[in-house]
Amino acid sequence: MSELNDKGACLLKLLADGKFHSGETIGKELGVSRTSVNNYIKALQSIGIDIYKVTGKGYCCAGGIELLDAKKIEMHSQSKRVHVEQIVDSTNQYLLDKIGSIEKGQTCIAEYQSNGRGRRGRSWVSPFASHLYFSFYWRFDSGIDRLSGLSLLVGIATVNALEKMGIQGVTLKWPNDIYYQNKKLAGILIELNAQATEACHCVIGIGINVRMSAEQGALIDQPWVDLNSLSAEPIDRNALSAHLIVELQLLLGEYEKQGLQPYLDRWFSLDCFLSKSVNVLIADKIQTGICRGVNAKGALLLEVDGDIKEFIGGEISLRLLDK
Ligand code: BTN
């Protein structure tokens, strides 16, 4: 969907009401020809948006679509720092570029990311209005020292928000993947701007699969699941964003004071690999052992030949041995 631009976004806004709009009205509204209207419609259909045409009536988006709405999110979260973009390169980058001029809790959410980032330099597929692309800024005045457990805490906050949306059974994979029955539901990318002795600026990026089309899903190189297939009702991304903001504000505030310790029980109850045999991959090395959860530093605890080894750091990943 790299061809998606502001016109495509305007068209989607127009069709979001679920009513019929003639090709002529759309063309006038967007300032484009009927042929271009057709092309934009095709582009939106190609990302899984269900638009159909009835002769004499025009185009209609089946069931309408709930677009992101900063006012609704602010109302439900009591935050005054929500910024919604239609199209952005990366919501994380948007906030990183503003460090120094933004306050704790500043949130950026977008309908589309042209350069969504995943962990380990991967890209994060970010089709228009399909999923949640959410970034949240926080500043730790105590510096970088205590941040090793941060990604675990963000995972817990995300599960809390999902539970408030009625989604049960979501689990966490150390350090920060969010799974449902061994399929990836969401990912977290935390980017830091910090010097050893000064305040640490964190941009917490969360991507959650909401409505994945078969076409988009085929581009993902691992098993995945989306929220709409776990819920009887289509997921309202505004409500989900508001819950995320509330949970992050609450948990980050506590974490600043007490670290990860108060959240360890919760982590253990959500850990999808607890007591299972796993491989820990560190660069080109593999260590096999039994997952024994995490400690208050956020380190992974691995039982190897009766001893507990600690693993910490961004370049380590975990794989299940016995599925
Ligand atoms: C992962 O690889 O599992 C982490 C994916 C994180 C994706 C989110 S979407 C919102 C934010 N902006 C980005 O560019 N990436 C994160």
Side-chain angles (χ1 to χ4, degrees), residues 145-153 156 174-175 255 258-268 271 274 291-302 308-313:
D145 286 359
R146 287 183 58 175
L147 296 192
S148 56
L150 180 61
S151 66
L152 284 70
L153 183 92
I156 293 171
W174 184 91
Y255 180 78
Q258 305 190 65
L260 197 61
Q261 185 66 44
Y263 297 99
L264 286 182
D265 283 351
R266 178 74 169 140
W267 173 273
F268 276 71
D271 187 345
L274 190 67
C291 176
R292 293 296 180 208
V294 299
N295 65 14
K297 285 185 285 180
L300 171 76
L301 302 178
L302 191 73
I308 298 290
K309 291 190 176 185
E310 289 181 21
F311 293 87
I312 202 150

Side-chain angles (χ1 to χ4, degrees), residues 58-98:
Y59 299 97
C60 171
C61 178
I65 193 165
E66 179 90 41
L67 291 173
L68 294 169
D69 182 331
K71 286 205 178 74
K72 280 189 190 161
I73 300 169
E74 287 189 340
M75 197 172 78
H76 291 297
S77 64
Q78 310 286 324
S79 166
K80 293 200 164 50
R81 303 204 168 105
V82 178
H83 179 76
V84 167
E85 282 278 319
Q86 295 287 309
I87 300 171
V88 79
D89 53 352
S90 149
T91 52
N92 268 22
Q93 191 59 49
Y94 181 92
L95 291 182
L96 284 167
D97 288 342
K98 294 188 169 38

Side-chain angles (χ1 to χ4, degrees), residues 201-319:
H201 303 275
C202 299
V203 171
I204 295 165
I206 304 174
I208 305 182
N209 298 336
V210 177
R211 191 193 54 216
M212 187 81 80
S213 70
E215 198 186 39
Q216 296 154 21
L219 302 174
I220 301 175
D221 61 356
Q222 60 176 311
W224 54 265
V225 65
D226 64 5
L227 286 178
N228 277 2
S229 55
L230 304 180
S231 160
E233 296 290 316
I235 288 293
D236 174 352
R237 292 174 305 151
N238 292 313
L240 176 56
S241 303
H243 285 308
L244 272 174
I245 292 170
V246 169
E247 287 300 319
L248 285 168
Q249 298 260 22
L250 186 72
L251 269 62
L252 287 165
E254 280 306 304
Y255 180 78
E256 275 186 307
K257 290 184 232 146
Q258 305 190 65
L260 197 61
Q261 185 66 44
Y263 297 99
L264 286 182
D265 283 351
R266 178 74 169 140
W267 173 273
F268 276 71
S269 72
L270 297 172
D271 187 345
C272 62
F273 285 176
L274 190 67
S275 306
K276 298 204 166 132
S277 293
V278 292
N279 274 338
V280 175
L281 317 181
I282 316 140
D284 55 353
K285 294 201 188 83
I286 297 181
Q287 172 74 74
T288 302
I290 302 169
C291 176
R292 293 296 180 208
V294 299
N295 65 14
K297 285 185 285 180
L300 171 76
L301 302 178
L302 191 73
E303 185 183 327
V304 182
D305 299 331
D307 289 331
I308 298 290
K309 291 190 176 185
E310 289 181 21
F311 293 87
I312 202 150
E315 291 316 305
I316 306 172
S317 61
L318 202 54
R319 300 274 183 284

